[in-house]
Amino acid sequence: MRPAELTTMARLWLNRSHIADRTPLRTVGAPEDIAHAILYLASGLSAFVTGADILVDGGLISVINL
């Protein structure tokens, strides 16, 4: 990959609407979304949760090619 291609790709991924268009929820997360997950884990509501991966990614993991 040439440096110019990398720069173009970086600009595309920094564009919030470009990212939102590719997520199932059609939105880009905010810091508060991560904070809510942390608050849940720190609260008594998560007392019965063990060994779980909690993804706060708007569903992006379900549509990317690994």
Side-chain angles (χ1 to χ4, degrees), residues 25 33-34 37 41 52-62 64 66:
L25 293 181
D33 297 317
I34 303 298
L41 291 172
D53 292 328
I54 298 178
L55 300 175
V56 185
D57 68 351
L60 187 61
I61 194 72
S62 67
I64 62 171
L66 298 177

Side-chain angles (χ1 to χ4, degrees), residues 21-44:
D21 289 344
R22 283 151 181 76
T23 62
L25 293 181
R26 300 290 185 245
T27 186
V28 177
E32 293 81 15
D33 297 317
I34 303 298
H36 292 153
I38 293 168
L39 287 172
Y40 167 72
L41 291 172
S43 76

Side-chain angles (χ1 to χ4, degrees), residues 1-56:
M1 184 176 294
R2 297 185 324 240
E5 291 172 345
L6 182 59
T7 303
T8 301
M9 288 177 61
R11 269 188 264 132
L12 285 174
W13 282 105
L14 289 174
N15 181 334
R16 293 177 66 88
S17 64
H18 178 80
I19 296 168
D21 289 344
R22 283 151 181 76
T23 62
L25 293 181
R26 300 290 185 245
T27 186
V28 177
E32 293 81 15
D33 297 317
I34 303 298
H36 292 153
I38 293 168
L39 287 172
Y40 167 72
L41 291 172
S43 76
L45 295 173
S46 67
F48 207 65
V49 175
T50 60
D53 292 328
I54 298 178
L55 300 175
V56 185

